[in-house]
Structure formats: structure tokens, C-alpha cells
Amino acid sequence: MKKLFKFEFFSVCRILVPVWCGALLLSLLLGGLGILSALFPALGDSLPYLIVCGFTGILFAFAALAGLIASVVLGMMRFYKLLGDQGYLMFSLPMPAWKHIGARLLCACLTTTLAVAVFVVCGAVLSFSSIQAGALVTAENFQFLAFDDLADLLWSGYALLIWLLCLATIYLFLYLCMAIGAQWPQHRLAASILTYFLLTFVLQVLMMIAVIFVAVGAYSAVQSGDVALISGALTSEQTTAAHGLLGGLLTVPILLFGAADAILWVTTHYFITRKLNLA
């Protein structure tokens, strides 16, 4: 599993790392141009400077978007190739199918998260270009990176967990569509795309029905007095109940994404192990 993940990760990073480095360099160049404009106001009105800034900005936009899009496309293509000629080699290895799925899923989630992190770093670099000439970069400039208390750290960990679970759900859904589309090896791409749209339509209908039931249930609870609106100061019992309710609500996304990941994983593994039809 470790060797397979390393193989997948380095195969993808061979393409993504140059794009990420290019985006970072272009963001540094744009930030430097912005600082030069602040130091020398007359430079901002010159035509060559505006042309250089515009051209660099266009290149940066393409590089940043390419880094994000390429990470998602490669995450899909690495699994898609597993269902073609590459599958004859990969599935001949003494390794169960779930390790092939897991290695590609971990690689896709990790590279997509890194691509978003690079995009955020580029945005942070560009934000410093607004510093006026002579301004000092002190610790206060990086205050947003610090955690004031344990609650901030827990919220950040919770957000990261939700992000990873959501990302895994997206990729596993795409993997399932490709695994179903592989049942028609001569038209695998068209069948995968058609499966994606059909499953998306069915899920949207089910989600709409679920939202209607939840809305009707909440309205009925309010009308019957089961849910009371609390105004004014809260007692200790009410505060404890409110915290318990908040904790329950926070676990709902984790449970939903976890259940969706489990269902998608089991279904994809079934098609890979029992219904695999290589091109």
C-alpha cells in the first residue's frame, strides 16, 4: 500500500509541482510589482509597467487555475486508467483491489488539498502587495495565522475533517461512475459520463425529497411547541441543552459524509472485484 501510494503520488506530482511552483513565482512577481508601485507612484502610470502587470496577472490566473483543475483531472484519470490497459498490470500484482482504490483516493485527496493550499498561499502573497511604502511587516501582520485558544484549533480541525470527507465523497462518486461505465469497455468514457448525469439526477431528486420532509418536520415541531424559541438570558440547563444540540448538529455532516463514503466505497469495490471488465 505504501509503495503503491508513493508511486501514485510521485507520478502526479511530476506534473503538478512545476505548475504550483510557477503559480507561486508569478504571485511573488505580482506582489513585487505591487510593492514597486507603492514605492514609486509614478511607475504605476507608465504603459510598460501596466503591460507587464497585466501579462503577469493573466499568466498567474492561468497557472493558479491550472493547478487546481489539473489536480482534480489527474485524480480522476489515475483511476480511469486502472480500468483500461493499465489494469492488466496493476491487478496482476499481489495486492487486493481495495489497496488500489485507497492509494488513488488518498493521492487525489492529498494533491487536491495541496493545490488549494498553494492557491491560498498565492492569495496571501498577493495581499501583501497592498502594503504601503515604508510599512513594516510585524507579527501583527500574521495574527490571522495564530490560534487564540483551543476552540479555534478545534474548529480548524473540524473544518479540515469535513473538507476531507467531502473530497473523498466527490472522488468516490466519480470512481463509482467510472466503475459502472467500465461495464461497456468499448464505450467506457461515454458510459461513465452518462452514468454520472443519471446518478446525479437521482441524487438531486432524493435530496429534494429529504429537504421537504425535514422542512415539514421542523415546521410541525415549531407549531406543536416541541421547539421553543429562547429569548433573553439562558439558564445553566438551557445552556447545556443548547451546547448538546450544537454538538449534535455538528456531528450530522460527519455522519452523512461518512455514510456516503462507506456506501460509495463498498459499491465501487464490488464493481472492481466482481464486475470488472477491462478494455
Side-chain angles (χ1 to χ4, degrees):
M1 180 69 175
K2 181 180 177 181
K3 292 180 179 179
L4 185 59
F5 172 75
K6 288 174 61 177
F7 171 75
E8 291 293 326
F9 184 73
F10 287 112
S11 298
V12 172
C13 286
R14 267 204 316 266
I15 301 173
L16 293 179
V17 169
V19 180
W20 293 342
C21 292
L24 287 172
L25 290 176
L26 289 171
S27 66
L28 290 173
L29 180 58
L30 277 176
L33 291 173
I35 294 176
L36 284 177
S37 176
L39 292 173
F40 306 100
L43 185 63
D45 298 329
S46 62
L47 181 60
Y49 173 82
L50 295 176
I51 293 176
V52 171
C53 286
F55 184 71
T56 307
I58 293 173
L59 288 179
F60 167 73
F62 276 113
L65 291 176
L68 289 172
I69 296 174
S71 62
V72 177
V73 172
L74 288 173
M76 294 187 298
M77 292 304 299
R78 297 299 300 180
F79 184 83
Y80 184 78
K81 290 182 178 180
L82 186 66
L83 305 176
D85 295 336
Q86 192 182 82
Y88 290 103
L89 172 63
M90 289 298 179
F91 289 115
S92 64
L93 299 175
M95 191 178 302
W98 70 266
K99 291 188 177 181
H100 291 284
I101 303 173
R104 283 158 177 80
L105 179 62
L106 290 175
C107 181
C109 292
L110 179 58
T111 53
T112 305
T113 303
L114 290 176
V116 174
V118 170
F119 189 81
V120 171
V121 171
C122 291
V125 170
L126 290 178
S127 67
F128 286 106
S129 64
S130 60
I131 298 176
Q132 298 297 324
L136 296 177
V137 179
T138 61
E140 285 75 11
N141 299 123
F142 300 92
Q143 190 175 3
F144 67 96
L145 296 175
F147 297 104
D148 295 332
D149 51 21
L150 181 60
D152 293 339
L153 183 61
L154 292 177
W155 278 111
S156 300
Y158 176 79
L160 179 61
L161 177 61
I162 293 297
W163 162 259
L164 293 177
L165 288 175
C166 179
L167 204 58
T169 302
I170 294 173
Y171 277 113
L172 284 173
F173 179 72
L174 295 173
Y175 291 173
L176 176 60
C177 294
M178 287 184 280
I180 295 176
Q183 304 307 306
W184 297 271
Q186 301 303 322
H187 306 282
R188 189 170 72 251
L189 180 59
S192 300
I193 296 174
L194 181 61
T195 303
Y196 171 80
F197 284 109
L198 288 176
L199 290 181
T200 302
F201 175 76
V202 172
L203 290 176
Q204 287 177 347
V205 173
L206 294 177
M207 187 177 300
M208 185 181 302
I209 295 174
V211 168
I212 293 175
F213 275 105
V214 170
V216 171
Y219 179 77
S220 301
V222 172
Q223 291 296 319
S224 61
D226 295 335
V227 178
L229 297 178
I230 302 174
S231 60
L234 297 178
T235 64
S236 60
E237 292 80 5
Q238 291 172 337
T239 303
T240 303
H243 288 168
L245 179 61
L246 178 60
L249 292 176
L250 291 177
T251 57
V252 170
I254 297 178
L255 294 177
L256 289 178
F257 282 122
D261 290 340
I263 294 173
L264 292 171
W265 175 278
V266 170
T267 310
T268 303
H269 186 266
Y270 170 78
F271 277 99
I272 293 298
T273 55
R274 303 295 181 86
K275 301 291 184 179
L276 185 62
N277 190 7
L278 298 177

